[in-house]
Amino acid sequence: MSKTCLECGEKIVGREDKKFCSDGCRNAYNNKINKDSTNYMRNINNRLRKNYRILSELNTEGKSKTTRAKLVSKGFDFDYFTNILQTKTGNTYYFLYDQGYMVLENDYYMLVKKDI
Ligand SMILES: [Zn+2]
């Protein structure tokens, strides 16, 4: 049984498990697959990076307080974070990599840095 190249449809000669007729076709095919998610992922990664940058700027001491207004004015996007940490005492920390924040009363935010 002859197989055809997933990229160009040409008949493939050679090994049974080959999916492409050439390296060029394999690269072209893989590039197309990667491209579909690239824009979406790039946007999210940019937001995560921006959030991280903002927290790093505001939290130079490793622990500090700020306000929601200050975060918003710098363009912080509260929808994006890398993970959530619930403490035994019932507090919720939102993390951007090793920079995190916790919501305090009256629109204040506690900024923390994780020890890694
Ligand atoms: Zn091909």
Side-chain angles (χ1 to χ4, degrees), residues 15-28:
R15 288 205 337 258
E16 186 71 8
D17 57 344
K18 274 176 89 174
K19 290 177 186 154
F20 304 98
C21 69
S22 64
D23 286 345
C25 277
R26 189 182 58 238
N27 289 337

Side-chain angles (χ1 to χ4, degrees), residues 34-49:
N34 291 332
K35 209 172 186 178
D36 286 336
S37 57
T38 297
N39 279 340
Y40 180 67
M41 287 173 68
R42 195 188 292 136
N43 283 335
I44 290 175
N45 288 340
N46 284 343
R47 284 181 212 207
L48 290 172
R49 253 197 303 275

Side-chain angles (χ1 to χ4, degrees), residues 55 78 81-96 99-105 108-112 114:
L55 291 183
F78 292 90
F81 45 85
T82 56
N83 64 300
I84 295 181
L85 184 83
Q86 304 261 17
T87 65
K88 288 196 180 101
T89 49
N91 291 321
T92 303
Y93 286 93
Y94 295 87
F95 274 93
L96 277 302
Q99 295 280 357
Y101 66 89
M102 179 179 81
V103 185
L104 303 170
E105 286 179 337
Y108 274 93
Y109 282 72
M110 171 71 79
L111 304 182
V112 295
K114 208 185 269 181

Side-chain angles (χ1 to χ4, degrees), residues 51-91:
N51 278 355
Y52 179 76
R53 216 163 41 232
I54 293 166
L55 291 183
S56 300
E57 276 169 29
L58 293 173
N59 187 25
T60 50
E61 306 288 308
K63 192 165 189 180
S64 49
K65 255 188 191 179
T66 189
T67 59
R68 184 178 180 89
K70 188 144 195 179
L71 289 165
V72 169
S73 76
K74 287 182 175 289
F76 194 85
D77 189 332
F78 292 90
D79 290 337
Y80 293 87
F81 45 85
T82 56
N83 64 300
I84 295 181
L85 184 83
Q86 304 261 17
T87 65
K88 288 196 180 101
T89 49
N91 291 321

